[in-house]
Amino acid sequence: MRILVYGAGGVGAFFGALLARAGQDVEFVARGAQLEAMRRDGLRIRSALIGDVHVPHVVVHARARDASMADLVLVSVKTYQTQQILDDLSAVVGDTTVIVTLQNGVESDEVVASRFGWSRVVPATVYVGATIDEPAVVTHQAPARLSFGARDGFDATRLDGIAAVLATTGQRVQISTDIQYERWRKLMWNASFNTVTAVTMRGPAELLALGETRALIRRIMQEVVEVARAHGIGLVDADVDDHIRWTERAPSMRTSTMVDRSRGRTMEADALVGVIVRKGREAGVATPACEAMYALMIASDAPAAAGV
């Protein structure tokens, strides 16, 4: 199976490197310093969980049109970049290509499907705790799990083959029978921990150790539960406690959004928490904590956007 990883940030580089190590036919699309370092050094993963990994040679391009036609595409760009890559991505998408979106939020698959159709698109959720701390080097800090599943229009009989390939990474891979629930469940974590860590520049463990920020995180998660339920997604209150317990088992973890802010990158404010505000208004559900965090995220991004 010919695989293209479009976007070699923490998630794409982590899973792509492990696929390449397993002998899969993998190519990457990257840019800037990451592109140059991957061409020169390959990819490294530094991990206390799976050990250090070095793939000394990877096939990497600045654009998809320079890559081979793909059987499987893993889209791992930032959500706000999704629309921008579709023209380039079309060069490697054939009639039977499957595109798996390994992105934050609950809407990026709809953007991809609007171009390529639901017969080609599979949404996924990823828990991994992987960040790029220097070009071509992934720091891995939390157990990895990848869930994916079919939405209406995709032939679900194809999922087993995709799972078998992704499982060669050695990480936990599962087919979900309710991928929308899985995605909204992850959004609970992203809307709370990613946003609050980015605004405060304190790690998840630090935030949980402070009563005030622990309460804020719980409140944000609860608002996500309420909005999800209003849209027919079956999140439950116990999901909040599960997320907090999982986070407490990864005390050294930093969020990707915290890393983005520290490096002056645009943050995924809309996909992480703006979507909760919008969908809350659609359903008549108040989301005061999410509204506050969305405003703070926008303000944190504003200086870079305005060139101040």
Side-chain angles (χ1 to χ4, degrees), residues 231-270:
H231 284 273
I233 308 296
L235 294 183
V236 295
D237 294 343
D239 289 327
V240 176
D241 296 323
D242 288 346
H243 273 314
I244 289 176
R245 282 193 294 268
W246 180 85
T247 306
E248 288 176 328
R249 293 197 296 269
S252 63
M253 181 172 55
R254 294 179 299 156
T255 69
S256 59
T257 313
M258 182 181 181
V259 173
D260 285 343
R261 187 183 179 196
S262 71
R263 297 187 178 176
R265 301 171 184 153
T266 301
M267 297 183 287
E268 296 177 287
D270 185 68

Side-chain angles (χ1 to χ4, degrees), residues 174-248:
Q174 62 188 44
I175 297 172
S176 173
T177 58
D178 190 351
I179 191 59
Q180 290 302 87
Y181 165 80
E182 294 283 348
R183 297 171 79 205
W184 277 83
R185 190 177 188 277
K186 184 186 177 184
L187 185 58
M188 292 170 59
W189 199 94
N190 287 154
S192 53
F193 282 103
N194 279 58
T195 61
V196 182
T197 57
V199 169
T200 64
M201 293 305 291
R202 291 179 177 268
E206 293 178 275
L207 298 176
L208 290 177
L210 295 169
E212 293 81 2
T213 46
R214 189 184 185 99
L216 173 61
I217 284 166
R218 293 188 69 93
R219 182 59 226 159
I220 294 170
M221 286 192 189
Q222 193 60 49
E223 289 181 3
V224 178
V225 170
E226 292 163 6
V227 172
R229 286 174 178 167
H231 284 273
I233 308 296
L235 294 183
V236 295
D237 294 343
D239 289 327
V240 176
D241 296 323
D242 288 346
H243 273 314
I244 289 176
R245 282 193 294 268
W246 180 85
T247 306
E248 288 176 328

Side-chain angles (χ1 to χ4, degrees), residues 41-57:
D41 303 323
L43 278 170
R44 290 183 182 273
I45 300 173
R46 293 174 179 164
S47 172
L49 286 80
I50 65 171
D52 289 354
V53 174
H54 183 211
V55 181
H57 174 72

Side-chain angles (χ1 to χ4, degrees), residues 293-308:
M293 290 312 304
Y294 183 50
L296 291 172
M297 291 280 285
I298 294 297
S300 298
D301 259 344
V308 175

Side-chain angles (χ1 to χ4, degrees), residues 27-176:
E27 298 180 39
F28 296 82
V29 173
R31 63 180 184 176
Q34 183 76 341
L35 170 66
E36 297 307 316
M38 289 173 65
R39 282 175 169 167
R40 183 181 65 247
D41 303 323
L43 278 170
R44 290 183 182 273
I45 300 173
R46 293 174 179 164
S47 172
L49 286 80
I50 65 171
D52 289 354
V53 174
H54 183 211
V55 181
H57 174 72
V58 296
V59 180
V60 59
H61 311 281
R63 55 188 186 176
R65 68 190 66 179
D66 296 326
S68 305
M69 290 294 293
D71 300 306
L72 176 65
V73 177
L74 305 180
V75 175
S76 51
V77 299
K78 295 295 186 181
T79 52
Y80 54 79
Q81 296 170 327
T82 306
Q83 187 68 48
Q84 304 165 21
I85 74 168
L86 298 183
D87 285 345
D88 184 39
L89 185 58
S90 67
V92 299
V93 174
D95 291 342
T96 61
T97 302
V98 176
I99 306 167
V100 180
T101 54
L102 307 180
Q103 296 170 279
N104 287 326
V106 293
E107 298 176 310
S108 63
D109 61 323
E110 297 173 5
V111 176
V112 178
S114 70
R115 176 65 174 269
F116 299 109
W118 283 111
S119 64
R120 294 188 181 97
V121 178
V122 176
T125 60
V126 179
Y127 295 90
V128 64
T131 56
I132 301 294
D133 287 325
E134 59 185 274
V137 179
V138 182
T139 300
H140 174 225
Q141 300 172 310
R145 176 167 65 88
L146 191 159
S147 299
F148 65 99
R151 295 187 67 175
D152 289 345
F154 186 84
D155 179 4
T157 64
R158 305 182 69 189
L159 296 178
D160 285 337
I162 299 167
V165 171
L166 295 176
T168 64
T169 61
Q171 305 307 297
R172 183 180 173 190
V173 175
Q174 62 188 44
I175 297 172
S176 173

